[in-house]
Amino acid sequence: MSLPSQLFDAAQQWLFEAVVQPALFALGLANVLEDAYVATGWLLVGLLQLLVMLALIGPLERWRPVEPLQDRAAVRVDVIYTLIHRLGLFRLALFFMAEPLWDGLFGMLRTHGWRTFQLDALWPGVTDQPLASLLLYLLVFDFVDYWIHRGQHRFGWWWRLHALHHSQRQMTMWSDSRNHLLDDLLRDAIIVVVAQCIGVAPGQFVAIVALTQLSENLHHANLRLWFGRLGERLWVSPRFHRLHHAIGTGHESAPAQRTGAPVLGGHNFGVLLPWWDMLFGTANFECRYDPTGVRDQVEPGPDGRVRDYGRGFWAQQWRGLLRLAGRG
């Protein structure tokens, strides 16, 4: 076991024994100690992510911002979204709502002979090495995330939820977690199914999620940064992803951009790697830093009105439901 893993395990053990376990005993919840230990690991990962955001990405934003920070109230709402996700509140809700369903489903499948496909066993002696298997799983999950993202922009009902993420006109490192909770639930359900099917180890899954989320924080940052002609094609940069959030460009098809008709589509769907955008023809490497948002919140629609996506957390969640029902 590497030194970082040993330090993380020691910190998780201390946090669990010093804080979480006494709290569970006091609340009469000793029956969930095992799950709570796993949740403590997620909490620790979230705290470390917040530390990296504040210590590294925040100073970068102040160093080379794309635009002045004007709408601080909107950013504070994004901070709430980030804390909900990184401090484990969303995962806690999933534990009580969805975890029993997943356990029952996969338990039933295994009873009927279903076996997990071990992706890291493809090439014994190579793909089962820790670093090699981590990179392999990272590649698979990023490919899945690309197609999830394409679906969010392709299907009208899904876009009505996902549009909340694009409605932030003041992009910062906090904007990544600004999503409708139903949108998050649907994405997480797909990722859980994939993780179960390919047999990713829990520790590696945590590492993949942590790396992905931190990279997305950087991508959403108010940061004038690109990685050069070669680097832009190796890893998603803040410039590459900001173009995905640009009004019209990021969420409308090429015909829509020419005619003004609101046809879903867009560019730069890659989460970590721009390779999938390059492979499937959705990459846009123009070096631009356009205003962000959704066209219908800045231009009147067919009814002559601009769409209100809400200012506060609950207003945004409620309006997402109204859009999903065709009333918002």
Side-chain angles (χ1 to χ4, degrees):
M1 182 181 295
S2 64
L3 180 59
S5 297
Q6 292 176 342
L7 293 175
F8 182 87
D9 290 344
Q12 181 180 1
Q13 187 71 30
W14 175 85
L15 183 60
F16 177 74
E17 293 178 351
V19 180
V20 177
Q21 185 172 260
L24 291 176
F25 280 127
L27 295 171
L29 297 174
N31 59 311
V32 297
L33 284 177
E34 183 176 346
D35 293 313
Y37 184 77
V38 175
T40 304
W42 284 108
L43 172 61
L44 183 58
V45 167
L47 292 172
L48 291 173
Q49 288 176 319
L50 292 172
L51 179 62
V52 172
M53 291 170 63
L54 294 172
L56 296 180
I57 305 178
L60 287 175
E61 284 190 317
R62 294 188 291 272
W63 172 52
R64 295 195 66 189
V66 174
E67 57 190 356
L69 186 59
Q70 297 177 334
D71 194 348
R72 296 183 181 274
V75 176
R76 286 195 291 270
V77 176
D78 287 356
V79 173
I80 293 174
Y81 279 102
T82 302
L83 295 178
I84 287 174
H85 283 80
R86 302 303 166 85
L87 298 184
L89 298 179
F90 182 70
R91 291 191 176 277
L92 184 64
L94 285 182
F95 170 75
F96 286 108
M97 294 169 52
E99 195 73 18
L101 297 176
W102 289 123
D103 290 344
L105 173 62
F106 290 116
M108 180 184 67
L109 290 174
R110 291 188 179 98
T111 300
H112 287 80
W114 179 77
R115 293 292 180 266
T116 299
F117 171 69
Q118 296 295 326
L119 186 62
D120 59 0
L122 281 176
W123 189 355
V126 177
T127 56
D128 53 2
Q129 296 299 311
L131 180 57
S133 62
L134 177 64
L135 293 176
L136 184 60
Y137 286 125
L138 192 70
L139 192 67
V140 170
F141 280 115
D142 196 58
F143 179 74
V144 172
D145 259 330
Y146 171 83
W147 285 108
I148 290 175
H149 204 174
R150 287 286 299 268
Q152 290 168 324
H153 285 251
R154 170 64 178 84
F155 302 109
W157 63 268
W158 206 348
W159 167 251
R160 294 182 196 115
L161 294 174
H162 186 64
L164 170 60
H165 178 68
H166 281 259
S167 68
Q168 177 56 282
R169 305 205 60 211
Q170 184 70 78
M171 292 266 290
T172 69
M173 64 179 179
W174 306 100
S175 301
D176 170 51
S177 296
R178 177 194 179 102
N179 296 301
H180 199 281
L181 296 179
L182 285 181
D183 193 10
D184 281 329
L185 180 62
L186 181 55
R187 177 197 172 273
D188 282 6
I190 296 172
I191 293 297
V192 166
V193 170
V194 173
Q196 289 284 343
C197 288
I198 64 177
V200 60
Q204 287 184 319
F205 185 69
V206 172
I208 290 167
V209 171
L211 176 61
T212 301
Q213 289 177 334
L214 271 180
S215 189
E216 288 182 300
N217 290 133
L218 178 65
H219 302 163
H220 288 84
N222 179 23
L223 177 60
R224 188 176 294 273
L225 178 66
W226 76 304
F227 297 158
R229 289 185 60 85
L230 177 60
E232 288 282 297
R233 288 156 176 78
L234 296 178
W235 199 264
V236 170
S237 71
R239 183 221 55 82
F240 185 87
H241 193 70
R242 184 180 178 89
L243 197 56
H244 173 72
H245 278 262
I247 296 173
T249 305
H251 62 273
E252 294 177 356
S253 66
Q257 293 161 28
R258 290 194 298 267
T259 65
V263 181
L264 292 179
H267 297 280
N268 300 6
F269 298 101
V271 175
L272 297 180
L273 306 170
W275 307 348
W276 317 121
D277 286 293
M278 296 163 63
L279 181 62
F280 297 107
T282 54
N284 185 331
F285 288 105
E286 294 179 79
C287 193
R288 296 159 37 192
Y289 297 89
D290 296 350
T292 61
V294 185
R295 188 186 296 277
D296 63 14
Q297 71 182 144
V298 295
E299 297 180 7
D303 58 359
R305 298 184 301 172
V306 295
R307 174 164 283 152
D308 180 9
Y309 284 85
R311 292 288 294 173
F313 175 86
W314 291 114
Q316 291 169 0
Q317 295 297 307
W318 173 243
R319 290 186 178 277
L321 295 177
L322 291 178
R323 288 193 303 276
L324 186 61
R327 298 173 53 193

